[in-house]
Amino acid sequence: MKNWYGLYSKTLEQISKEDIKNKKTIVGFNVNVDKIIEITPESIDKKLLDGIDLVLENGKIRLPSKVNSIGDFLSYFVYSMMEGKALEITVLSETIANWIENNFEIKSDQIGGQAGIIANLFKSIEVRDVLLSLPVNDPQLANLLEPSLLTIIEEGNSYSIQEISKVKFMDREPLSHYVFEFKAGNYQFNSFDFNCPRDNRFIFTYDEINTLVKFNKGFHEFSQNFIQEYTLAILSGFCLAYEKQSSFDDMFRPVTKMIKNWKRINSNLYIHIELSSSYNAKKRNSIKKNLFPVANSIGVNEQELLLFSSSDKNHRELGVDQKSTSTALFQLLRNLFSEYPHLRIHLHYLGYFLVISPVMKAEEAERARTALIMSSLFAASKAKRGVIESYQDINDIELNLSSKGFEELIKLHSYIESNFEVKGNLSETGILVTPSFSLVGIPTILVKNPQKLVGLGDTISSTAVLFDTND
């Protein structure tokens, strides 16, 4: 473990904002308003579940296949807390949205959507050129986005890249994502009680724009004029897709076509796709079929990894009897990587991060390790303060590394060593190479009493990719 403290300290000394400030980055596509709701055993209404029939099987809630009512919504809400798992559901129901507004206290509004969060984050750490695809010019977004972000503005029959501060925000659309940040503890209701094992968050999405995977028309019409200048594109929001008038394939096809055109013009452009939870197997299969082949990397947490590694399973079967050990998660990583052996797959989990990729050279693997360490520092900073205000915030983080994460790396190295031809040592250096793949892993920083959970995964993956890509 001592070696890891040295690697963290060395990384802090050697890496600075100068390494990233001139990178030209595209971020898309989901931008929305997050409505933050704090849930604790003391604050929650104990009558919330009165009259609600929660169906249990072997002590677990049986989830409905669709969310058509307040009772269906509460089934997912309570399931997320009982399991301590991050979940997200999308329902175009104004009735449920209004019920939430009337039955919970909204603490604050903040920029939401992976693209919105990542774009603001990059500006706060002083990345100079961040081009954001705005799906709609809604006034709710005007004061939540960093004004120096760039976007594409339509001017008559032409387009230009301008700062967000020059956008006319005039369109009003449903863009609400209700983020329930729940604390671990014993929850007691009049008719039901359970123990929540872990702080986490549950998200209910009422969003008629991002669910259609809309993106700025200027990206499609105008991108050939600027794409050569960019080195990185971080794309997200695909798990929000809601199959109503168009099929998933029809919604994803324009994005795939645009990415292929970008890569044709600029073969050095690195495409990273950040995923989120989706319990629709058809949607997951469509994302994998359409988007994974054109991406360089993807980012997942343990639940997303389980879902995308098990796309042929019914959502009710997922997660049952699954243990989130490093060896179990590695097996899922390996299975997904075997389907898409060109991808670099980022996994963020409490206590450690892992990246599996095609075989890397030593210098490339060391850069990937450095990038993961930087992502751990930024994630710790966000967890500690609730927001990252500047690059310098990472210099005020206590290096309290996860001993459990370190132990999991030891166990994982032992497992891989017994099953593959191995060079390197995952627990000592964080780098392991086999004839068919490389694996990079680090123990992460633990933050006591975190102030913010939402957006941590996006912070981890996006900063790792940012520091890992070449100019």
Side-chain angles (χ1 to χ4, degrees):
M1 190 64 143
K2 182 179 178 181
N3 185 49
W4 282 106
Y5 281 96
L7 284 169
Y8 267 81
S9 298
K10 182 180 178 181
T11 299
L12 270 171
E13 291 172 2
Q14 294 183 341
I15 305 299
S16 74
K17 64 184 180 184
E18 299 301 315
D19 294 279
I20 57 170
K21 75 174 186 180
N22 291 322
K23 289 190 175 180
K24 297 173 74 69
T25 304
I26 293 170
V27 183
F29 297 105
N30 54 331
V31 184
N32 58 262
V33 178
D34 277 350
K35 296 179 178 290
I36 309 301
I37 301 169
E38 293 184 348
I39 302 293
T40 68
E42 296 76 27
S43 69
I44 199 163
D45 183 357
K46 290 179 170 49
K47 297 181 180 180
L48 191 68
L49 301 182
D50 286 2
I52 301 299
D53 184 20
L54 297 177
V55 181
L56 298 179
E57 289 182 354
N58 300 320
K60 294 180 180 291
I61 292 179
R62 190 176 73 192
L63 298 175
S65 59
K66 294 183 178 180
V67 178
N68 295 318
S69 67
I70 292 167
D72 294 339
F73 157 76
L74 286 170
S75 293
Y76 278 88
F77 174 64
V78 175
Y79 174 87
S80 179
M81 290 199 296
M82 287 181 70
E83 299 294 313
K85 290 182 178 179
L87 295 183
E88 181 170 353
I89 59 172
T90 300
V91 183
L92 302 184
S93 170
E94 186 176 3
T95 299
I96 299 176
N98 288 338
W99 182 85
I100 291 172
E101 294 270 358
N102 292 328
N103 286 274
F104 293 93
E105 180 183 353
I106 296 173
K107 180 185 178 184
S108 63
D109 289 353
Q110 60 188 43
I111 196 64
Q114 292 154 299
I117 291 170
I118 292 167
N120 270 5
L121 166 67
F122 280 8
K123 291 305 299 183
S124 70
I125 62 175
E126 301 179 51
V127 180
R128 188 173 298 164
D129 193 330
V130 184
L131 179 62
L132 174 65
S133 172
L134 275 178
V136 65
N137 297 341
D138 191 293
Q140 297 177 88
L141 303 174
N143 296 322
L144 299 177
L145 290 165
E146 289 288 337
S148 62
L149 282 167
L150 302 175
T151 194
I152 297 176
I153 296 178
E154 186 174 0
E155 300 173 311
N157 296 321
S158 62
Y159 299 93
S160 64
I161 296 177
Q162 302 286 347
E163 289 190 349
I164 290 283
S165 58
K166 297 181 180 180
V167 173
K168 296 179 181 179
F169 289 93
M170 301 175 66
D171 307 321
R172 291 195 173 273
E173 301 285 353
L175 287 168
S176 296
H177 293 224
Y178 298 91
V179 182
F180 297 83
E181 296 189 338
F182 55 82
K183 295 291 186 181
N186 188 49
Y187 286 80
Q188 295 180 334
F189 298 90
N190 289 342
S191 57
F192 187 64
D193 65 88
F194 62 87
N195 183 67
C196 172
R198 174 184 169 190
D199 293 0
N200 219 316
R201 50 93 177 130
F202 170 77
I203 301 176
F204 171 80
T205 297
Y206 173 54
D207 182 341
E208 295 186 358
I209 295 298
N210 293 292
T211 52
L212 298 176
V213 195
K214 286 191 174 183
F215 56 89
N216 190 305
K217 188 169 68 172
F219 272 82
H220 195 274
E221 303 291 334
F222 185 59
S223 59
Q224 66 271 12
N225 293 324
F226 63 77
I227 199 64
Q228 189 67 44
E229 303 172 15
Y230 286 80
T231 57
L232 171 64
I234 300 178
L235 308 179
S236 56
F238 306 109
C239 291
L240 291 171
Y242 195 86
E243 196 174 39
K244 192 174 182 181
Q245 296 176 333
S246 302
S247 69
F248 292 124
D249 285 349
D250 287 342
M251 281 189 275
F252 299 144
R253 198 170 290 118
V255 179
T256 303
K257 182 179 179 181
M258 184 169 64
I259 292 173
K260 287 181 177 178
N261 189 48
W262 287 356
K263 297 287 278 188
R264 179 184 59 80
I265 298 171
N266 180 3
S267 60
N268 293 321
L269 180 66
Y270 189 97
I271 305 291
H272 176 81
I273 291 177
E274 192 64 16
L275 298 173
S276 59
S277 295
S278 170
Y279 288 88
N280 186 312
K282 185 178 178 183
K283 184 197 301 185
R284 295 196 304 272
N285 281 329
S286 184
I287 290 172
K288 291 170 73 171
K289 180 181 75 173
N290 288 284
L291 297 166
F292 282 17
V294 296
N296 296 95
S297 64
I298 61 173
V300 293
N301 64 18
E302 74 279 7
Q303 183 69 8
E304 294 149 9
L305 175 62
L306 176 61
L307 287 163
F308 278 88
S309 299
S310 312
S311 58
D312 59 329
K313 292 185 178 181
N314 186 283
H315 76 276
R316 285 188 293 269
E317 299 171 354
L318 297 174
V320 179
D321 298 325
Q322 286 284 345
K323 294 182 179 179
S324 294
T325 63
S326 57
T327 52
L329 292 175
F330 167 75
Q331 289 168 357
L332 293 173
L333 275 175
R334 179 80 175 111
N335 290 341
L336 188 56
F337 178 74
S338 66
E339 287 186 76
Y340 301 93
H342 73 287
L343 281 180
R344 182 174 293 194
I345 306 174
H346 291 245
L347 169 68
H348 47 88
Y349 186 70
L350 184 65
Y352 59 91
F353 302 156
L354 295 173
V355 172
I356 189 171
S357 82
V359 175
M360 292 186 275
K361 296 179 180 179
E363 181 181 348
E364 188 181 4
E366 289 172 5
R367 188 173 69 239
R369 181 184 62 194
T370 294
L372 287 182
I373 289 173
M374 294 302 296
S375 72
S376 176
L377 289 161
F378 279 108
S381 180
K382 179 157 188 172
K384 178 182 177 180
R385 296 179 177 84
V387 64
I388 296 173
E389 295 181 346
S390 75
Y391 185 98
Q392 302 306 319
D393 287 354
I394 61 173
N395 294 317
D396 190 32
I397 295 298
E398 181 183 355
L399 293 184
N400 178 29
L401 301 186
S402 172
S403 58
K404 185 175 180 180
F406 178 65
E407 290 169 3
E408 288 294 334
L409 293 180
I410 293 174
K411 293 175 185 176
L412 181 54
H413 178 84
S414 178
Y415 170 80
I416 296 175
E417 193 173 38
S418 64
N419 288 276
F420 299 89
E421 180 184 335
V422 170
K423 293 181 180 178
N425 191 302
L426 190 66
S427 62
E428 291 182 6
T429 67
I431 298 171
L432 178 153
V433 182
T434 76
S436 58
F437 66 87
S438 290
L439 189 70
V440 179
I442 66 165
T444 62
I445 301 169
L446 290 181
V447 175
K448 295 179 180 179
N449 302 316
Q451 296 298 308
K452 186 66 66 179
L453 295 171
V454 68
L456 278 184
D458 306 324
T459 298
I460 294 162
S461 291
S462 63
T463 51
V465 174
L466 180 68
F467 280 92
D468 199 12
T469 49
N470 292 316
D471 292 338

